[in-house]
Amino acid sequence: MKDRLEKIKERYVEINRELSDPDIANDIEKMRILGKERHELERTVALYEELQQAEKTIEELREMSKDEDEEIREMAQGELAEVKEKREELVEKLERELIPKDPNDEKDVIVEIRGAAGGDEANLFAADLFRMYMKFAESKNWDVNVANAVESDAGGFSQIEFTVSGDLVYSQLKYESGAHRVQRIPKTESQGRIHTSTATVVVLPEAEDVEVELDMNDVRVDTYRSSGAGGQHVNKTDSAVRLTHDPTGVVVSCQEGKSQHENKEKALKILRARLHDLAETKRREEEGEERRSKIGTGDRSEKVRTYNFPQNRVTDHRINFTIHELDKVMEGRLDPIVSALIDEEYKRKLEAD
């Protein structure tokens, strides 16, 4: 581990030297690439330097614990235990840092939520999930942009698609894909019976142009008038866009933008993400089973979480994690669940390593 950390530190120093070179200041693309690489390494380097300092302190305290002065010996021995504990924590953190990272973790995402089993209640729950993710994004200073929303007659959404942009978005939201189940008494239930309904969530990392070869000759573009809430342009101009990718049959609609151009750009972004996901799914199938470190399949049909309102309980079935803080979770406080999922994935990756 020490050899790997030394090489990382050397590379970090080299990047800083390159970035301070006046000649590089004119090469914006190289500056961007180097800046991104430095950002990826700086946490590891900071932890390694902290570990080096802790080890140096341990050696000094060991020498002091041999001192002739009893008071100095006792003080050194007391501090030694604390610094050793800190060193173990740093080693554990560095082991995590050295685990190969998901290349998509820093990407923005496209999220799709659909009401599934349960009729009107499922659509209402889809709206609740959307609000939950909006609140979570707000707590992280992420930006949310709705691309397409199909409202149901009784309220809620039969389908809503939106993008989330910010720092390390995919690393936090990638575990949300699958079927989310709600257990509660619907507003329309006159006898107070608890109903079970589901909504499905799909989270896709945004795909860059270089990752997806998209031939526009394969894409059929249709325009139509927007419907529902959305501003003065709704139902007055053909601003909504529907893209159909003929080779795969993937269809993407977008109507929340204020112009046809804006909607087409959003729809193309979603289309690239879906095509990239199709290609990745095919690649994984050809390679065999997913790595043991992966939590869940990411399939829309996989039951990932249950939200039980009467008991104020949320259970993530993939890791058998339960908290009785449903009211807080629905207000966007997803961190305890996300942290538990990340910890479990790290644990599995360490075991696989």
Side-chain angles (χ1 to χ4, degrees):
M1 185 174 81
K2 188 174 180 181
D3 289 342
R4 289 175 67 187
L5 289 168
E6 281 295 335
K7 287 178 182 177
I8 288 170
K9 189 174 180 179
E10 287 172 12
R11 177 58 184 156
Y12 184 74
V13 171
E14 184 184 344
I15 290 170
N16 283 329
R17 187 167 52 247
E18 288 186 58
L19 285 171
S20 63
D21 186 342
D23 294 335
I24 289 217
N26 299 321
D27 191 337
I28 300 214
E29 180 60 15
K30 182 144 191 198
M31 287 276 289
R32 185 189 70 80
I33 293 170
L34 287 173
K36 182 181 178 183
E37 187 179 356
R38 180 175 67 177
H39 176 69
E40 291 171 351
L41 297 180
E42 59 190 0
R43 173 175 161 80
T44 305
V45 172
L47 286 170
Y48 181 43
E49 288 177 344
E50 203 174 341
L51 175 63
Q52 288 178 312
Q53 183 57 52
E55 289 177 336
K56 182 180 177 183
T57 302
I58 286 171
E59 288 304 312
E60 292 171 353
L61 289 170
R62 278 176 176 161
E63 288 300 315
M64 290 174 64
S65 65
K66 301 173 186 175
D67 198 274
E68 294 180 359
D69 189 310
E70 184 179 351
E71 190 174 336
I72 291 176
R73 287 201 308 271
E74 288 178 357
M75 179 199 70
Q77 287 165 1
E79 288 186 21
L80 187 59
E82 291 180 15
V83 181
K84 281 183 175 180
E85 186 177 338
K86 181 182 178 182
R87 180 181 62 181
E88 293 306 310
E89 290 174 1
L90 288 168
V91 168
E92 187 177 331
K93 287 179 181 178
L94 281 164
E95 284 177 345
R96 287 190 174 195
E97 287 295 312
L98 292 176
I99 293 171
K101 293 179 176 60
D102 186 331
N104 293 320
D105 274 353
E106 295 195 2
K107 290 185 179 180
D108 298 336
V109 303
I110 293 156
V111 183
E112 177 197 279
I113 305 173
R114 289 177 182 260
D120 292 338
E121 173 65 7
N123 294 335
L124 290 169
F125 181 51
D128 290 339
L129 289 175
F130 171 61
R131 180 177 177 276
M132 179 184 77
Y133 292 131
M134 283 276 288
K135 291 281 188 180
F136 184 59
E138 188 179 308
S139 72
K140 302 290 183 183
N141 294 316
W142 295 339
D143 294 322
V144 176
N145 198 319
V146 177
N148 188 49
V150 182
E151 297 180 11
S152 62
D153 294 336
F157 300 106
S158 60
Q159 176 183 348
I160 183 166
E161 291 171 284
F162 54 98
T163 59
V164 186
S165 309
D167 187 34
L168 295 168
V169 178
Y170 186 73
S171 71
Q172 301 276 302
L173 290 179
K174 62 184 176 182
Y175 307 104
E176 297 304 305
S177 290
H180 293 241
R181 184 175 69 169
V182 62
Q183 295 173 327
R184 65 184 177 188
I185 302 170
K187 294 176 183 178
T188 55
E189 172 56 54
S190 58
Q191 298 182 30
R193 291 176 300 187
I194 296 173
H195 287 226
T196 299
S197 306
T198 58
T200 60
V201 177
V202 175
V203 178
L204 302 176
E206 281 193 359
E208 297 174 13
D209 293 355
V210 294
E211 294 177 297
V212 178
E213 291 184 16
L214 182 59
D215 186 346
M216 289 306 295
N217 292 320
D218 293 333
V219 180
R220 190 165 69 252
V221 182
D222 298 307
T223 59
Y224 59 99
R225 292 195 176 185
S226 301
S227 60
Q232 294 181 348
H233 67 290
V234 171
N235 290 326
K236 292 185 179 180
T237 60
D238 291 340
S239 60
V241 173
R242 182 186 300 108
L243 303 182
T244 305
H245 187 248
D246 289 329
T248 60
V250 173
V251 179
V252 175
S253 298
C254 189
Q255 65 172 11
E256 296 300 313
K258 294 183 179 179
S259 69
Q260 188 181 117
H261 175 74
E262 184 182 340
N263 282 324
K264 186 177 179 182
E265 286 299 308
K266 287 181 179 179
L268 280 170
K269 188 180 288 187
I270 295 171
L271 178 59
R272 286 193 181 94
R274 288 189 179 175
L275 293 177
H276 184 259
D277 184 60
L278 282 175
E280 284 295 294
T281 300
K282 183 180 179 182
R283 179 186 62 79
R284 289 194 295 265
E285 287 174 352
E286 289 173 351
E287 288 180 355
E289 292 186 7
E290 284 284 271
R291 286 184 57 186
R292 287 185 297 135
S293 59
K294 185 173 175 62
I295 293 176
T297 63
D299 292 341
R300 191 192 296 266
S301 60
E302 181 191 19
K303 184 178 74 173
V304 295
R305 200 172 294 151
T306 293
Y307 304 73
N308 185 297
F309 277 73
Q311 298 177 15
N312 196 36
R313 169 173 56 82
V314 183
T315 298
D316 195 290
H317 304 288
R318 295 162 295 181
I319 58 172
N320 296 319
F321 177 82
T322 296
I323 55 171
H324 291 272
E325 297 180 354
L326 174 58
D327 52 340
K328 294 178 181 178
V329 169
M330 298 311 293
E331 287 299 315
R333 299 182 192 176
L334 277 166
D335 289 296
I337 300 174
V338 172
S339 295
L341 287 161
I342 290 173
D343 286 345
E344 178 62 22
E345 184 165 313
Y346 275 133
K347 179 184 172 184
R348 294 183 188 184
K349 282 183 175 179
L350 281 170
E351 289 172 353
D353 219 27

